């Protein structure tokens, strides 16, 4: 029987996931001893009864590099270490099913695992590695918030989508002399917002790394205001908060969902600006999941393909407990421990921030 390498996608979907899967399968096709199988909906496919997985051969992955989402399905709820179950009293609790998962890997002759996911998935990979699992991580997230890689795939596509949206909003801002607010994703790091603001020519960029002062935003807009009230374009990341205030989150009843559901800070900002006495009309657009969907741009397909090939080669070399990472110009392996040790916040002294300030973008500080 061939040795099996199990591939799975976990966390939020992201443009380029299918390009990674295709690259892994194509590279494995050169190895007669190995077969690739894909678990459905992250680890759920292996932990469900009956198990849900599929053999990934060349036919299964033909042409998928241009498709958004993931052909394997994904979930950002629960996981092998905190699997949600309903008690007899109708309450929910979590149980650790990691031992069972490893037993099922043996049953399926899985000799290696490639887990494609964000920071949460990489933490699960580290814990499985500590339990003896031969695992490799691949970093994915549109938020670009994983340290130890220059970029995660999916990020550049999200920036492209957000910039296109900003370009469209600028038209209305100019024509109606309005303030247009574009809320983009970015839980704890404002990478999408910052790139979009620079590329799309926003006057204000608000990011989680810098708590804003609404009076400073007002001042920066009024400095370039004409008699009719002036127009301005503001890009704000969903996880941003004012100096005197908290992040805007919604409650959720989704079982096993551990994240805070962000969204709506753009509307709050509009209210705050109005209260300062700003005369201009204000409109808010929340881009939401549009940023995560659709066709990956060429940059992300290439990065995803490089990650996929490298991950399979690390499997062949037995170089486990690592995550593939982009360190220009190379794709390297870093330990999962290192990958999850720190978070990729924007360095406020970085050239990108200085560039933005240099062209007059206000961060509300
Ligand atoms: O982590 C990526 C991300 O896009 C965040 O920016 C966002 O807050 C989150 O996923 C939303 O995920 P979902 O609504 O799919 O649970």
């Amino acid at each position: 029987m061939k040795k099996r390498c199990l591939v799975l996608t976990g966390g939020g979907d992201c443009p380029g996931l299918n390009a990674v899967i295709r690259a892994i399968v194509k590279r494995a096709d050169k190895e007669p001893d190995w077969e690739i199988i894909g678990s459905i909906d992250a680890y759920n496919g292996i932990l469900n009864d009956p198990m849900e997985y599929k053999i990934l051969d060349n036919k299964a992955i033909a042409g998928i590099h241009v498709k958004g989402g993931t052909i394997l399905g994904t979930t950002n709820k629960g996981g092998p270490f905190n699997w949600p179950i309903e008690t007899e009293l109708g309450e929910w609790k979590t149980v650790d099913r990691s031992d069972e998962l490893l037993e099922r890997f043996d049953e399926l002759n899985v000799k290696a695992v490639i887990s494609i996911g964000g920071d949460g998935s990489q933490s699960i990979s580290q814990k499985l590695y500590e339990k003896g699992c031969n695992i490799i991580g691949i970093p994915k997230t549109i938020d670009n918030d994983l340290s130890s890689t220059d970029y995660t795939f999916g990020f550049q596509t999200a920036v492209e989508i957000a910039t296109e949206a900003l370009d469209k909003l600028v038209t209305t801002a100019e024509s109606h002399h309005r303030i247009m607010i574009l809320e983009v994703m970015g839980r704890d790091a404002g990478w999408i917002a910052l790139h979009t603001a620079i590329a799309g020519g926003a006057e204000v960029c608000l990011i989680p790394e810098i708590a804003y002062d609404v009076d400073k935003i007002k001042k920066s807009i009024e400095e370039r205001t004409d008699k009719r009230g002036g127009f301005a374009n503001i890009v704000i990341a969903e996880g941003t908060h004012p100096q005197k205030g908290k992040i805007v989150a919604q409650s959720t009843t989704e079982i096993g969902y551990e994240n805070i559901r962000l969204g709506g800070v753009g509307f709050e900002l509009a209210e705050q600006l109005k209260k300062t006495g700003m005369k201009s009309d204000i409109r808010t657009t929340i881009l939401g999941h549009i940023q995560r969907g659709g066709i990956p741009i060429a940059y992300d397909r290439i990065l995803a393909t490089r990650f996929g090939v490298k991950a399979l080669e690390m499997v062949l070399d037995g170089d486990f407990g690592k995550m593939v990472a982009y360190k220009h110009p190379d794709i390297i392996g870093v330990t999962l421990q290192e990958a999850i040790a720190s978070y990729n916040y924007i360095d406020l002294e970085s050239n990108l921030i200085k560039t933005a300030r240099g062209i007059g973008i206000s961060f509300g500080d």
Side-chain angles (χ1 to χ4, degrees):
M1 193 184 185
K2 286 186 179 190
K3 288 184 271 188
R4 282 174 155 178
C5 173
L6 180 95
V7 177
L8 61 111
T9 51
D13 66 345
C14 165
L17 286 168
N18 286 325
V20 180
I21 297 168
R22 173 176 172 270
I24 293 168
V25 173
K26 279 193 166 282
R27 179 62 187 82
D29 193 47
K30 294 176 188 292
E31 307 299 326
D33 302 342
W34 284 88
E35 176 176 64
I36 306 294
I37 61 171
S39 175
I40 304 303
D41 296 347
Y43 292 103
N44 294 11
I46 303 302
L47 289 169
N48 283 343
D49 290 303
M51 285 193 253
E52 291 174 282
Y53 64 89
K54 49 177 150 186
I55 310 269
L56 295 174
D57 55 15
N58 269 335
K59 196 162 162 238
I61 51 91
I64 64 168
H65 54 295
V66 297
K67 284 180 69 177
T70 159
I71 60 160
L72 295 176
T74 186
T75 177
N76 53 7
K77 294 177 194 163
F81 292 94
N82 56 350
W83 184 267
I85 54 161
E86 197 172 3
T87 64
E88 280 169 11
L89 299 170
E91 286 161 356
W92 287 88
K93 64 170 193 172
T94 57
V95 291
D96 181 352
R97 294 187 65 195
S98 56
D99 287 334
E100 209 182 324
L101 181 73
L102 298 184
E103 280 161 26
R104 290 180 181 216
F105 285 167
D106 285 343
E107 211 178 291
L108 293 169
N109 201 33
V110 168
K111 300 293 183 199
V113 175
I114 298 178
S115 170
I116 311 164
D119 50 353
S121 303
Q122 307 303 335
S123 300
I124 293 174
S125 296
Q126 170 64 19
K127 282 165 91 179
L128 288 173
Y129 178 64
E130 284 165 16
K131 292 188 85 140
C133 180
N134 292 335
I135 197 159
I136 305 282
I138 298 186
K140 84 69 244 191
T141 161
I142 63 161
D143 288 356
N144 198 40
D145 55 7
L146 273 154
S147 54
S148 39
T149 181
D150 289 354
Y151 288 113
T152 53
F153 67 86
F155 166 65
Q156 300 287 359
T157 302
V159 170
E160 203 65 40
I161 294 168
T163 302
E164 201 186 326
L166 183 60
D167 291 344
K168 293 186 199 320
L169 295 175
V170 167
T171 315
T172 301
E174 285 175 359
S175 307
H176 285 260
H177 321 288
R178 275 178 181 158
I179 295 170
M180 301 299 282
I181 300 173
L182 174 64
E183 181 181 317
V184 298
M185 282 186 170
R187 301 185 73 78
D188 304 292
W191 293 103
I192 298 175
L194 179 56
H195 280 71
T196 304
I198 295 174
E203 285 74 27
V204 180
C205 175
L206 304 174
I207 55 176
E209 289 88 340
I210 303 176
Y212 65 84
D213 177 342
V214 73
D215 293 319
K216 296 261 174 67
I217 300 172
K218 181 182 185 233
K219 192 165 166 273
S220 73
I221 294 173
E222 282 176 348
E223 274 166 10
R224 42 180 305 285
T225 290
D226 61 22
K227 272 184 271 158
R228 285 171 296 193
F231 73 90
N233 298 284
I234 303 178
V235 182
I236 183 165
E238 60 182 356
T240 308
H241 63 89
Q243 282 173 10
K244 292 177 200 142
K246 292 200 228 107
I247 52 164
V248 179
Q250 289 137 44
S251 62
T252 173
T253 50
E254 294 171 11
I255 308 299
Y257 191 84
E258 284 169 356
N259 282 333
I260 299 167
R261 262 193 75 195
L262 297 173
V265 67
F267 288 115
E268 289 262 326
L269 176 64
E271 288 299 313
Q272 292 159 359
L273 283 170
K274 270 286 160 206
K275 279 191 194 142
T276 65
M278 288 215 71
K279 296 208 172 50
S280 311
D281 292 336
I282 308 174
R283 295 287 187 273
T284 299
T285 301
I286 300 183
L287 207 50
H289 293 80
I290 288 171
Q291 289 155 97
R292 264 176 31 190
I295 300 169
I297 61 168
Y299 183 96
D300 281 331
R301 293 184 213 175
I302 295 164
L303 184 59
T305 303
R306 295 177 75 188
F307 279 168
V309 168
K310 177 71 177 175
L312 201 277
E313 288 177 350
M314 284 164 69
V315 166
L316 299 176
D317 292 344
D319 199 7
F320 297 113
K322 293 198 174 159
M323 183 188 85
V324 299
Y326 174 39
K327 283 280 168 204
H328 181 76
D330 297 317
I331 305 293
I332 59 165
V334 295
T335 63
L336 284 165
Q337 195 97 61
E338 188 189 332
I340 59 176
S342 58
Y343 188 83
N344 190 23
Y345 294 108
I346 299 172
D347 175 359
L348 300 185
E349 296 304 318
S350 66
N351 171 266
L352 213 51
I353 293 280
K354 285 183 180 153
T355 300
R357 290 198 195 274
I359 57 167
I361 294 178
S362 161
F363 287 93
D365 60 346

